Amino acid sequence: MRRAEHLAHQRENILPEMDYDPPELKESGFTNFSVFGDWEESEFEVADVKDMRLEAEAVVNDVIFAVSHMSVSKYLPIGEDVAFINVETKEGNKYCLELTEAGLRVVGYGFDQVDESLSLPYHETVYSLLDSLSPAYREAFANALLQRLEALKQETHD
């Protein structure tokens, strides 16, 4: 569930329906109280677009250390439900990835390229996708994990 959908869900469910107005609320004048104020649907749409860019940037920041290059596309449009990420593996292979609520998938074999004829499967995580594309990613990720574990071990012994 994306952030904007989560907020909408919270807005709908934060205050359960009441069969009566407690006297304390009537006396204080808060009979029609909303924690979220009067948000318009258009504000949620703007938040969706911003959130998809933020999600794409978070994906990039999570794994940039284990690839040669990775960035959110500056040329392909970011919509309410999609963003595109360019990635070059350590092996030198270039891909354009589509990020949606369904996950990530390869949509092109070059930066900013979308091949409509491709129908490759979605991966739930960027880790799974890169693991399937790049043995060097697997090695870099494993090495980073090992270094973190060794650092934690060292901290506990100090």
Side-chain angles (χ1 to χ4, degrees), residues 54-129:
L54 291 175
E55 287 181 38
E57 290 172 353
V59 165
V60 170
N61 290 333
D62 277 353
V63 294
I64 190 77
F65 70 92
V67 296
S68 292
H69 171 83
M70 193 170 202
S71 63
V72 177
S73 175
K74 293 178 180 147
Y75 301 104
L76 296 173
I78 293 179
E80 285 183 32
D81 56 356
V82 66
F84 296 92
I85 299 170
N86 294 316
V87 62
E88 181 178 355
T89 64
K90 290 191 179 276
E91 294 88 355
N93 299 321
K94 293 181 180 180
Y95 302 95
C96 183
L97 309 179
E98 174 190 69
L99 172 64
T100 66
E101 282 191 29
L104 292 120
R105 70 178 179 147
V106 172
V107 292
Y109 295 107
F111 289 173
D112 302 309
Q113 293 181 6
V114 176
D115 182 348
E116 299 291 336
S117 68
L118 288 179
S119 60
L120 298 172
Y122 284 97
H123 292 259
E124 256 184 63
T125 66
V126 67
Y127 314 110
S128 169
L129 177 77

